[in-house]
Amino acid sequence: MGEPWKYWTRVEFASTGHRRKSEVPAVKLFLQKHFPESAGQSKVSDREVQRCLTNWVRAGEEADRQMAQLGLHCYTTNAIEGHCRKFVNQFNQVDFDTLIGLVLQDEFIAEVIASYDPEKSALSTWTKMRIFSHRDVKRFLRLDHGIIKETDWQILCSTSPGALRRILGSERTAYEVGQGGELLQVFKEVYCGPLMAEREKLNQKSRRPYPQPTQQQLMKMALQLPPRPDSGWEDVLNQLRELAKVIRTDRAQPPVPPSARSDLSPEPQQDLLADYRSPCIAKAVSQVIETRLHHLSQGRNGEKKGKQYLNALGLFYCQGASMKDIARMVDLSDQPSVSRLLDRKTLKADISRHLVVCMRGCLDEGIGQGLSSPDRLKAWDQRVSTFLEEDVDKLMRADAKEGYTSQNRQMRTLLAQEICRYVQTVCRQCLKAACQCSG
Amino acid sequence: MTNTDISDNGCWTQLEEPMETLLLDSKHFEEAERISHNNQAVSRQWSNYLQALALISFEAWLQEREPSLTVTRESCSVFQPEVASVIEAVCDLQLGGFRVCLIPTLRLTADEVAIPRAVVDIGAYAAHFYVVVALDEEAEVATIRGFLRYDQLVHYRSQLQPDFDWNYPLPSSWLNTDVNELLLNLQCLDPQAISLPIVANHHLTVLPRQRAEILAVLPQALEKPLWEVLTWEQAVDVLTQPHLLRWLYQYQTEPTPARHQELITALGDLLQILTRKAINVGLWMERRLDDLAAAVSWQIVPEAALVRETRRFDDQSIVQTLGELLEESLELEERPPEHAGRVYQDIALTDGTYLRLYAVAWPLDGQNWTLVIIAGARPGDLPPYGLQLRVSDQTGVLVEETLAQDQQLAYLFAQVEGSHDDLFLVTLRSASGATQESEPFAFPGGF
């Protein structure tokens, strides 16, 4: 049973960008006419209402169809709000507005309703499934917060028989281990094997890479398993879920690797780096930023991204603008987006590596020897990195301390100056946010 | 409403450390799908697809981080369904002077990664770097989870027991997650700094002794995974023989039972070809036999001019018969040249059938040679009706003829052509089922 108002109250973004709830009177009248119990304080049967509304949407007369569609739309917006809220309560570092912004979209809602089958689930459950299998939601959670979810089917597909035996082996009888092994093998044969052919059968829009096994597949698995008292397809489904749960929660104590041998010879002379770093830094900086610009230009909105990147670099490294200000000035939604765009950690790593490459050319007799061993090469990279770190770490520490709020910090470090010089060369006007320079 | 819970099962987890991620888009997925469709073994397409996606992701990652590094796809296993179907990793990926092996996985939170034993223990599949690529198809994100160098992996191997399914369970925590170091190595390191096992022609270890056993068990690979069918020692021999891998792939992709029977016959021949010492046909041209041919009682057909002088009846009859047979044969596209090597042999099958077998070989051009086989009765005997003649090479059965009474023929003919890498095996089978195979015939290049 559910609250009837959810069918006539819509959650939406107003033109100001704020969220608001508003009643849709026509839908309210429509609902109350067809489901008289919804007029009072009492609850309605969601199952009943959702089934009727879906039927009208698919096969009703035009007037009914419109009202029913709106009713399902309202309900879905409420479901979206509820599920996002619940998620944020569990992971409170996730920004609610960003999350809901990704899915409180007419197009997404229409897709949820169009793919909804009232015989299989409740609309709220379906909405939840669609939210959290939505590409942008998963990307946002993965990239901004490192939050992921691995489905049972994904887990079963990528568990090797050997791994399963070890996981089960620790606590189960030999018989249970054998049963688990058989189940996994039959699952792989019936589900994973023909997966590509199965995917082709599914509708492109609503298709998921690892959908729940179909009833037909489960029945096939049941037939291939040795007969047991409980071997209906639903039991196979439960057994598979149980197996996935066991694998998921397995936490073995990782063995300690044998200590690596190191063949590091005496350190190269300190000042080799000092002598050559300056021309090499300039070269490394330009190579790495050019690569980055090229990469950005290949993606969606390539030209815009390239400009944003150059501008953000200029603002950060030349002007010492705060992340918040940069976000505003280059038209990005928030600080994390700027951080991700600048990706200073990778930038530093790439520049450092290019420095090593550059110096390899300059110092054949010095670093040249280093190339004959991974350990020596790593040591070289670390030395180069240390030079840069003095700069970059200072910068990063300053950010952390000042919480992205510092205004007009001057970046006086070597690397910052070099990046700044590069940006200025590429585009003279980039110091202003309104810059229209083309990367 | 059924009880089916279509809600997402499983719970959300937060990764402890950031990992190197890369965004994929529909063109990446479409390409991986296309590649996987080249694999005709439907049940292996998904695995091949993941390998392709790992490769495409890795390439895209290099393109983003270090475009000066590009891989050569040419020999990569992803595009060879017979390898992709049996080893769940991307092998033989060339990157500059390095070989890279990609291990696809769907999981980021698992404590261990299954590394196929083949890519560690078999030199032909070993790589300088092993890179674990985690694929999240729903988020359309790939993650370079970490890597290990060959020398590290071999060093760690002492602490790892391979699983019964031929995987090393590598603890994820042993992976080097600083992927920048991987780029650094690929960019700056001399490939000689990591020494890989030398890959020469693989020396077969158990195959020659266990030929019959392998012939009996390998066909079970239709219903069972390979690790259930073979011992690891047998697998090493199978996995290093491209012809056996091709056979296995063919066997798994051609569904009719009749075709399977044919393929099993071909497998028997192939195992003989791979494991038995071959007769050098090239020497016949110099009217010589190698020790092997002499030991199994092949004899040179004397030159016609010589025979006329010696007037030995036997020799005359042989020369004459062979000459007539070659003249009469409708199957022969061209007469053998004067310098063709001609040999013959009298054999007795176990059921008491006596046969005479002629073999004539000559080079066609720089690349190819041809072999003519004629099988029939010894002079004076009745034609051996019901006799079956089969000639195979490494790719399968080339000719299969039966001597039928109603066709008024007394001899069976077969002519085959091949390159200097090809070997031919001749099998004779009497009406009662008594069978004898020849030694494989080879014509090594350089003539």
Side-chain angles (χ1 to χ4, degrees):
Chain A
M1 302 296 274
E3 309 282 350
W5 58 263
K6 287 186 176 171
Y7 294 93
W8 61 69
T9 309
R10 174 159 63 186
V11 186
E12 62 188 345
F13 286 110
S15 51
T16 56
H18 289 95
R19 231 169 335 103
R20 67 164 185 215
K21 276 192 182 191
S22 58
E23 209 174 273
V24 188
V27 182
K28 186 176 179 180
L29 281 173
F30 176 79
L31 257 288
Q32 288 179 345
K33 181 176 129 203
H34 290 286
F35 306 95
E37 69 274 23
S38 66
Q41 291 297 309
S42 63
K43 297 190 170 185
V44 289
S45 159
D46 278 332
R47 184 177 156 183
E48 184 65 29
V49 176
Q50 288 164 13
R51 186 185 288 162
C52 291
L53 291 181
T54 308
N55 282 343
W56 284 324
V57 164
R58 310 247 155 106
E61 292 185 7
E62 184 53 27
D64 287 351
R65 204 190 60 75
Q66 272 184 16
M67 284 300 118
Q69 175 75 28
L70 264 174
L72 290 174
H73 183 100
C74 289
Y75 185 88
T76 307
T77 62
N78 283 295
I80 288 174
E81 187 187 37
H83 289 307
C84 290
R85 180 69 67 197
K86 213 167 145 197
F87 187 87
V88 172
N89 285 343
Q90 193 189 342
F91 293 97
N92 44 31
Q93 72 273 39
V94 176
D95 179 53
F96 177 75
D97 288 324
T98 313
L99 179 61
I100 196 170
L102 296 172
V103 280
L104 197 60
Q105 307 267 359
D106 286 349
E107 195 189 345
F108 174 72
I109 295 165
E111 255 176 55
V112 172
I113 296 170
S115 58
Y116 173 59
D117 180 351
E119 300 307 317
K120 285 197 177 144
S121 64
L123 180 54
S124 171
T125 314
W126 181 246
T127 307
K128 181 181 173 193
M129 204 280 280
R130 293 301 303 256
I131 295 172
F132 293 109
S133 61
H134 189 284
R135 187 193 71 172
D136 294 348
V137 171
K138 290 203 83 168
R139 275 192 176 182
F140 162 66
L141 296 174
R142 169 79 184 83
L143 300 180
D144 284 23
H145 301 288
I147 297 172
I148 59 160
K149 176 151 70 175
E150 295 165 333
T151 68
D152 287 350
W153 320 117
Q154 219 173 317
I155 287 177
L156 290 174
C157 277
S158 60
T159 300
S160 69
L164 180 70
R165 186 180 289 182
R166 234 168 310 106
I167 291 166
L168 295 179
S170 50
E171 298 154 25
R172 325 239 155 181
T173 64
Y175 177 70
E176 286 171 322
V177 173
Q179 276 190 332
E182 267 171 0
L183 186 61
L184 182 69
Q185 194 168 331
V186 169
F187 173 79
K188 290 206 163 188
E189 193 187 316
V190 175
Y191 180 89
C192 307
L195 193 57
M196 296 312 288
E198 286 292 320
R199 280 187 192 175
E200 268 166 44
K201 289 187 207 157
L202 297 172
N203 174 325
Q204 194 79 28
K205 277 230 151 159
S206 62
R207 96 179 183 189
R208 303 191 61 188
Y210 299 91
Q212 175 173 306
T214 62
Q215 191 173 330
Q216 203 185 2
Q217 287 175 324
L218 291 164
M219 277 155 61
K220 201 169 166 192
M221 292 181 214
L223 283 175
Q224 295 194 22
L225 288 166
R228 287 183 221 165
D230 54 345
S231 50
W233 64 269
E234 281 164 313
D235 301 300
V236 175
L237 181 65
N238 291 333
Q239 287 164 19
L240 286 169
R241 288 215 163 126
E242 190 53 38
L243 194 65
K245 195 170 148 198
V246 173
I247 298 169
R248 189 194 295 280
T249 50
D250 176 64
R251 279 285 168 271
Q253 196 61 254
V256 181
S259 59
R261 294 151 303 176
S262 175
D263 52 355
L264 285 186
S265 41
E267 306 245 305
Q269 286 183 348
Q270 188 85 23
D271 51 359
L272 284 179
L273 278 166
D275 291 347
Y276 287 95
R277 62 182 173 166
S278 186
C280 278
I281 289 183
K283 193 175 165 204
V285 162
S286 72
Q287 281 173 337
V288 170
I289 297 179
E290 271 162 26
T291 298
R292 182 89 185 129
L293 281 172
H294 178 76
H295 172 73
L296 290 170
S297 73
Q298 302 289 303
R300 241 186 316 184
N301 297 326
E303 203 182 331
K304 186 181 169 202
K305 282 263 172 207
K307 280 182 197 168
Q308 278 178 328
Y309 184 59
L310 264 186
N311 284 341
L313 278 181
L315 287 164
F316 186 81
Y317 289 102
C318 303
Q319 297 205 318
S322 73
M323 291 289 178
K324 197 176 159 194
D325 290 341
I326 297 175
R328 190 172 43 78
M329 290 192 270
V330 303
D331 191 24
L332 280 168
S333 59
D334 51 12
Q335 294 169 12
S337 316
V338 179
S339 292
R340 208 161 53 233
L341 180 66
L342 287 176
D343 193 1
R344 284 175 297 150
K345 193 171 154 244
T346 307
L347 187 68
K348 186 198 113 189
D350 285 346
I351 291 175
S352 160
R353 207 177 59 249
H354 276 259
L355 259 176
V356 174
V357 176
C358 172
M359 290 192 304
R360 180 182 64 173
C362 306
L363 311 166
D364 262 344
E365 68 287 7
I367 202 168
Q369 289 169 11
L371 307 180
S372 58
S373 135
D375 288 334
R376 293 206 53 190
L377 182 59
K378 188 177 170 186
W380 263 97
D381 186 49
Q382 275 164 354
R383 298 181 64 76
V384 172
S385 217
T386 312
F387 270 96
L388 296 179
E389 240 148 50
E390 288 168 12
D391 293 337
V392 179
D393 276 4
K394 223 185 287 168
L395 209 59
M396 287 184 168
R397 272 199 303 275
D399 284 348
K401 205 162 55 193
E402 295 163 35
Y404 294 85
T405 54
S406 71
Q407 294 283 330
N408 300 321
R409 241 180 311 107
Q410 286 298 308
M411 299 287 160
R412 286 283 169 229
T413 62
L414 182 66
L415 181 65
Q417 284 170 10
E418 211 58 67
I419 293 175
C420 176
R421 192 175 308 149
Y422 174 80
V423 173
Q424 285 174 332
T425 326
V426 171
C427 153
R428 295 277 166 207
Q429 293 102 47
C430 253
L431 300 179
K432 296 188 189 93
C435 164
Q436 288 299 311
C437 101
S438 59
Chain B
M1 200 180 299
T2 65
N3 283 333
T4 323
D5 174 15
I6 54 84
S7 73
D8 250 359
N9 33 50
C11 44
W12 294 91
T13 25
Q14 192 150 22
L15 301 172
E16 280 155 19
E17 47 180 328
M19 294 185 201
E20 184 88 353
T21 50
L22 133 129
L23 304 183
L24 300 174
D25 60 40
S26 53
K27 73 173 190 294
H28 296 123
F29 291 99
E30 282 158 17
E31 192 189 355
E33 267 172 51
R34 262 201 314 280
I35 295 170
S36 76
H37 282 136
N38 289 338
N39 193 325
Q40 305 291 313
V42 177
S43 67
R44 310 308 302 163
Q45 279 179 351
W46 172 66
S47 171
N48 208 154
Y49 165 80
L50 287 188
Q51 295 166 29
L53 200 53
L55 169 65
I56 292 164
S57 304
F58 185 68
E59 286 174 332
W61 176 66
L62 289 178
Q63 190 58 36
E64 184 175 336
R65 287 292 304 275
E66 192 48 66
S68 68
L69 296 171
T70 50
V71 301
T72 311
R73 285 179 165 199
E74 209 160 272
S75 56
C76 174
S77 65
V78 165
F79 304 97
Q80 295 166 37
E82 64 269 25
V83 182
S85 297
V86 289
I87 302 177
E88 293 186 359
V90 179
C91 340
D92 234 338
L93 188 61
Q94 300 286 335
L95 202 166
F98 294 105
R99 282 153 64 94
V100 180
C101 175
L102 306 176
I103 315 283
T105 173
L106 296 178
R107 296 197 64 196
L108 279 172
T109 61
D111 288 333
E112 55 177 53
V113 182
I115 311 271
R117 210 179 155 179
V119 300
V120 187
D121 290 349
I122 300 179
Y125 299 110
H128 293 91
F129 299 102
Y130 296 83
V131 186
V132 178
V133 184
L135 303 162
D136 183 342
E137 291 159 79
E138 220 160 57
E140 300 184 6
V141 165
T143 306
I144 309 294
R145 198 170 171 201
F147 78 102
L148 273 185
R149 299 191 311 261
Y150 178 75
D151 57 315
Q152 293 171 317
L153 192 53
V154 167
H155 184 53
Y156 291 164
R157 185 172 51 180
S158 59
Q159 294 223 337
L160 296 173
Q161 273 294 319
D163 280 332
F164 61 88
D165 57 4
W166 303 342
N167 285 309
Y168 279 113
L170 184 81
S172 314
S173 55
W174 292 12
L175 289 170
N176 183 348
T177 52
D178 183 3
V179 289
N180 189 55
E181 207 178 307
L182 174 63
L183 291 174
L184 179 73
N185 281 326
L186 290 171
Q187 228 176 332
C188 302
L189 198 67
D190 178 353
Q192 303 295 326
I194 303 168
S195 56
L196 292 184
I198 296 160
V199 185
N201 274 343
H202 178 76
H203 180 71
L204 295 169
T205 51
V206 297
L207 209 61
R209 278 180 285 121
Q210 302 183 357
R211 203 162 52 205
E213 197 188 329
I214 289 175
L215 178 59
V217 294
L218 202 53
Q220 295 170 19
L222 209 52
E223 307 94 34
K224 293 182 185 172
L226 211 52
W227 50 263
E228 268 188 36
V229 172
L230 301 176
T231 64
W232 173 247
E233 288 68 31
Q234 291 169 339
V236 172
D237 279 357
V238 171
L239 293 175
T240 46
Q241 293 300 316
H243 290 299
L244 277 174
L245 287 180
R246 212 159 296 141
W247 179 87
L248 196 59
Y249 174 65
Q250 227 179 359
Y251 184 67
Q252 288 173 336
T253 49
E254 298 188 14
T256 64
R259 183 69 184 124
H260 279 165
Q261 204 45 55
E262 283 172 28
L263 282 167
I264 290 171
T265 306
L267 174 64
D269 290 351
L270 174 58
L271 290 169
Q272 303 258 3
I273 291 172
L274 291 177
T275 55
R276 290 174 59 186
K277 199 162 183 288
I279 289 173
N280 182 354
V281 164
L283 294 175
W284 300 352
M285 317 259 301
E286 305 162 20
R287 308 285 175 253
R288 288 200 292 138
L289 293 172
D290 59 9
D291 294 345
L292 177 62
V296 295
S297 68
W298 281 100
Q299 298 186 55
I300 298 284
V301 173
E303 281 179 62
L306 247 62
V307 170
R308 275 194 291 278
E309 285 165 24
T310 58
R311 292 175 184 279
R312 273 183 57 196
F313 174 74
D314 259 10
D315 284 356
Q316 280 190 5
S317 124
I318 289 165
V319 172
Q320 195 180 345
T321 316
L322 179 60
E324 283 165 8
L325 286 173
L326 290 173
E327 203 59 42
E328 283 164 17
S329 164
L330 296 175
E331 279 90 348
L332 281 188
E333 282 171 18
E334 53 168 327
R335 304 294 136 219
E338 198 55 39
H339 62 272
R342 297 170 168 85
V343 298
Y344 74 99
Q345 182 188 36
D346 285 334
I347 52 178
L349 299 182
T350 50
D351 64 352
T353 311
Y354 289 93
L355 300 170
R356 176 161 288 180
L357 195 61
Y358 297 95
V360 183
W362 67 95
L364 293 175
D365 51 50
Q367 308 299 317
N368 297 298
W369 63 288
T370 184
L371 176 72
V372 175
I373 297 287
I374 305 168
R378 291 181 309 178
D381 289 356
L382 280 172
Y385 292 118
L387 178 74
Q388 195 190 60
L389 167 68
R390 185 170 79 237
V391 186
S392 304
D393 70 357
Q394 301 97 313
T395 64
V397 176
L398 302 173
V399 179
E400 201 164 31
E401 302 268 359
T402 306
L403 194 63
Q405 200 153 2
D406 55 357
Q407 286 177 338
Q408 305 289 316
L409 286 174
Y411 290 86
L412 285 172
F413 282 85
Q415 183 177 18
V416 288
E417 277 180 34
S419 73
H420 290 295
D421 295 327
D422 287 327
L423 294 106
F424 298 112
L425 183 85
V426 174
T427 308
L428 293 164
R429 190 169 182 272
S430 74
S432 74
T435 304
Q436 182 164 335
E437 294 105 5
S438 70
E439 273 61 32
F441 296 103
F443 199 141
F447 279 85

